[in-house]
């Protein structure tokens, strides 16, 4: 089959690789109907060292079950399924608690012998625990929105849930990428009435307004902080959803969070140490939370809103490519020509 | 009057200073009946640069109101009062939300023209907002326990509240100082059934057991982490209450917190940057919270338990001195001869 492999920063190729096969009785094989390129795929696209064997890419997909192992109980050939960006057994205590990203036997796509999702097909470990059936056919117009349940919608929602957004909290969202926009939509869904979106790409912030942002702050750094404080009587917002992952975004979060507030991070941190002392988090009793979203925990909760058309997160896709065009999708997202690219294998 | 002044690291003196006087109509003058030395007083005792004018010391006290300004409505001469370690107006939105340490007009004792509590008397700004009346006389046996409401009990309780301790959470407390022991007592009060206390001073950990600790881990560093993990099926505890403030305690907290858990800090951080990235907080979805406790928010909640004798936090005091002996109290706490020293001016 055809699959996307990254060999080093900037070097993405679509190649012929062996077809995946069932390896465990708990596996399923899924033919991928839609996949996409993630903002987090751009991190290795920027800095991956040369890797002779290459690394399969992609961790978001919806598709059709082609074959299941003998122990798979809840799925059968022909089921349309959504996959979260981490696979998980569904039975350990972390899974039962809704923290599937810490599953005792789980892991991430595109590693440890599991392929990537920017491909024609994929082997899914712990299929019963990992996949969620969706009552749609593969020509449904809802596929882009359902695909966001794989990662970006659940990730934005995780930020808002961990930040304890509700109707009494004001919110700043840092970042107008797909996750930031999903964080806006999620904050709105949880009742926030004031949602300040920090971003400087008009087409994206316009979509942010459509998703529920009430204010746009295009300035960055100290200027951006001053602007948010000006909009909030000098105090900042109760919750800051940080959807970037770079240090300037962290510093911005510290600058705009209200005393006693919460910074909830879902942008994968590209730093290990950061200010947390008296002058940043401790003095004003600011809480720092977030992490890789256990999106599996949110798919069932959010899917009805997608099926009903109440939310249309699929609007974050502004370009569609076939598999062979995936390298150009990376380029387009990297240069910000495209917000998020849908892949039809 | 006599008051305690620190001039540089290790140089604590008790001297004659001008008597405090009312300066604002919202002030009260309080004669101090009991004060004490705080673990946090030892930070300047270790590293305060030479300061020619010196700095008044002490931020914990109970006492009797001697005089009130014309705008003070709820207090009168003769009232017995408890003072939180920060003064606050009691009316701004942060005060109303219970975050008095971020009061718009508040501040801390022993700075900005406000004296310290290791003295005979003190001027209290915003007396209505700051002080809490206690229905006791100045010869009550409950004074030591009531005095802990000034700081250490409220601080330990804040750690547990921010850590969201309840009957379903396992807890590790790092530090067997007064705040650590109060964190144990607070976790117990909030229903925790498993409370692991990390500390290596037997007389203190014995008191920790009396307050509710179920396990004592005397080891530190990697050995201590391994021990806590061994006690918790390898996972660590849901909540870690960090009551020290030094980097090794932070690292220990990262080491013993369960995925999805909370590290709640109340030890004043003696560092500004710390690990928060994928390998520490982010990957396992660990929340970092805490800060200076708004103890004013907890005094009314906790005082009934003290008055009823349900909790006896005053047991943390293991030595009593008069005002002239305060310098020796610092020395005794610094050398760990004493856990916490009560001062009778």
């Amino acid at each position: 089959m055809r699959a996307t492999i990254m060999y080093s920063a900037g070097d993405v190729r679509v190649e012929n690789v062996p077809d995946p096969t069932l390896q465990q009785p708990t596996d399923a094989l899924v033919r991928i109907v839609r996949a996409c390129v993630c903002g987090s795929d751009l991190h290795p696209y920027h800095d991956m060292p040369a890797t002779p064997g290459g690394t399969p890419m992609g961790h978001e997909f919806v598709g059709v079950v082609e074959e299941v192992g003998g122990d798979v109980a809840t799925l059968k050939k022909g089921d349309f399924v959504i996959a979260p960006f981490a696979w998980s057994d569904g039975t350990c205590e972390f899974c039962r608690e809704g923290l599937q990203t810490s599953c005792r036997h789980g892991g991430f796509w595109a590693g440890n012998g599991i392929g990537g999702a920017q491909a024609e097909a994929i082997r899914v470990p712990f299929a019963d625990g990992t996949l969620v059936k969706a009552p749609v056919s593969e020509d449904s117009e809802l596929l882009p929105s359902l695909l966001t349940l794989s990662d970006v919608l659940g990730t934005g929602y995780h930020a808002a849930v961990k930040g304890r957004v509700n109707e009494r909290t004001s919110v700043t969202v840092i970042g107008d990428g797909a996750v930031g926009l999903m964080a806006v939509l999620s904050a709105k869904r949880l009742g926030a009435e004031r949602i300040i979106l920090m971003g400087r790409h008009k087409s994206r912030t316009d979509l942010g307004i459509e998703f529920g942002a009430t204010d746009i702050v295009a300035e960055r750094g100290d200027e951006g902080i001053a602007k948010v404080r000006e909009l909030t009587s000098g105090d900042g917002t109760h919750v800051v959803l940080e959807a970037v992952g770079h240090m300037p975004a962290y510093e911005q979060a510290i600058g705009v969070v209200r005393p006693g507030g919460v910074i909830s991070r879902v942008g994968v941190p590209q730093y290990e140490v950061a200010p947390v002392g008296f002058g940043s988090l401790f003095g004003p009793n600011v809480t720092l939370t977030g992490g890789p979203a256990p999106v599996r925990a949110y798919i069932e909760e959010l899917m009805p809103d997608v099926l009903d058309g109440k939310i249309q997160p699929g609007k974050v896709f502004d370009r569609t490519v076939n598999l062979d065009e995936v390298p150009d999708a990376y380029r387009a997202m990297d240069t910000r020509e495209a917000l998020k690219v849908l892949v039809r294998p």
Side-chain angles (χ1 to χ4, degrees), chain A:
Chain A
M1 68 164 186
R2 304 285 286 166
T4 305
I5 312 287
M6 188 182 289
Y7 285 91
S8 68
D11 183 4
V12 178
R13 308 179 206 167
V14 178
E15 300 185 333
N16 290 318
V17 303
D19 288 348
T21 55
L22 295 181
Q23 290 181 25
Q24 301 289 335
T26 47
D27 284 350
L29 288 184
V30 172
R31 174 170 53 83
I32 291 169
V33 174
R34 294 290 184 282
C36 51
V37 180
C38 185
S40 69
D41 292 332
L42 298 180
H43 295 315
Y45 189 73
H46 290 147
D47 59 19
M48 181 171 148
T51 307
T55 294
M57 295 299 296
H59 53 263
E60 303 157 278
F61 64 98
V62 295
V64 173
V65 174
E66 292 292 325
E67 195 181 347
V68 295
D71 289 351
V72 173
T74 61
L75 298 165
K76 58 179 194 310
K77 183 173 160 65
D79 284 341
F80 193 90
V81 290
I82 301 170
F85 72 77
W87 43 271
S88 51
D89 66 17
T91 57
C92 78
E93 53 194 306
F94 290 110
C95 285
R96 292 197 309 269
E97 289 170 19
L99 190 62
Q100 287 89 342
T101 44
S102 291
C103 171
R104 290 198 191 283
H105 307 104
F108 298 91
W109 306 107
N112 300 311
I114 311 290
Q118 291 157 8
E120 291 183 274
I122 196 163
R123 173 172 76 90
V124 177
F126 299 111
D128 282 329
T130 303
L131 298 170
V132 179
K133 268 194 277 194
V136 295
S137 62
E138 59 182 292
D139 59 358
S140 167
E141 287 183 357
L142 294 173
L143 296 196
S145 284
L146 290 170
L147 178 60
T148 66
L149 290 166
S150 234
D151 184 346
V152 287
L153 176 54
T155 293
Y157 195 64
H158 184 59
V161 167
K162 293 289 282 185
R164 296 198 247 168
V165 171
N166 60 46
E167 57 282 354
R168 294 177 307 283
T169 50
S170 53
V171 177
T172 301
V173 174
I174 299 179
D176 60 7
V179 172
L181 297 175
M182 295 292 99
V184 169
L185 183 154
S186 299
K188 174 79 177 173
R189 186 178 186 273
L190 292 173
E193 289 171 6
R194 185 77 183 274
I195 303 171
I196 301 170
L197 172 59
M198 302 189 80
R200 51 189 187 140
H201 304 88
K202 191 165 181 311
S203 61
R204 300 178 182 199
T205 55
D206 282 351
L207 188 52
I209 289 170
E210 200 179 323
F211 285 153
T214 53
D215 304 83
I216 303 298
V217 171
E219 293 84 352
R220 309 172 93 182
D222 288 345
E223 231 183 316
I225 290 169
K227 194 72 187 292
V228 173
R229 292 195 165 269
E230 195 183 298
L231 289 170
T232 54
S233 316
D235 291 328
T237 56
H238 298 97
V239 184
V240 181
L241 307 179
E242 197 282 86
V244 178
H246 290 291
M247 182 50 74
Y250 183 91
E251 289 165 344
Q252 208 137 22
I254 300 265
V256 301
V257 69
R258 189 173 184 274
V262 183
I263 296 170
S264 184
R265 294 181 299 168
V266 289
V268 181
Q270 302 303 302
Y271 49 84
E272 186 55 38
V273 302
V276 299
F278 206 96
S280 48
L281 299 182
F282 190 87
N285 267 283
V286 168
T287 295
L288 178 67
T289 191
V295 295
R296 181 61 179 81
Y298 303 123
I299 296 178
E300 275 121 339
E301 177 183 351
L302 297 171
M303 188 162 58
D305 279 12
V306 172
L307 295 174
D308 291 353
K310 263 195 206 164
I311 56 176
Q312 298 181 293
K315 288 187 175 179
V316 292
F317 293 107
D318 57 354
R319 182 173 296 196
T320 301
V321 300
N322 64 33
L323 204 46
D324 287 331
E325 295 165 324
V326 164
D328 194 58
Y330 275 77
R331 187 203 52 74
M333 281 179 58
D334 187 41
T335 58
R336 296 181 190 268
E337 254 177 63
L339 168 53
K340 190 166 176 74
V341 180
L342 191 71
V343 180
R344 297 174 69 135

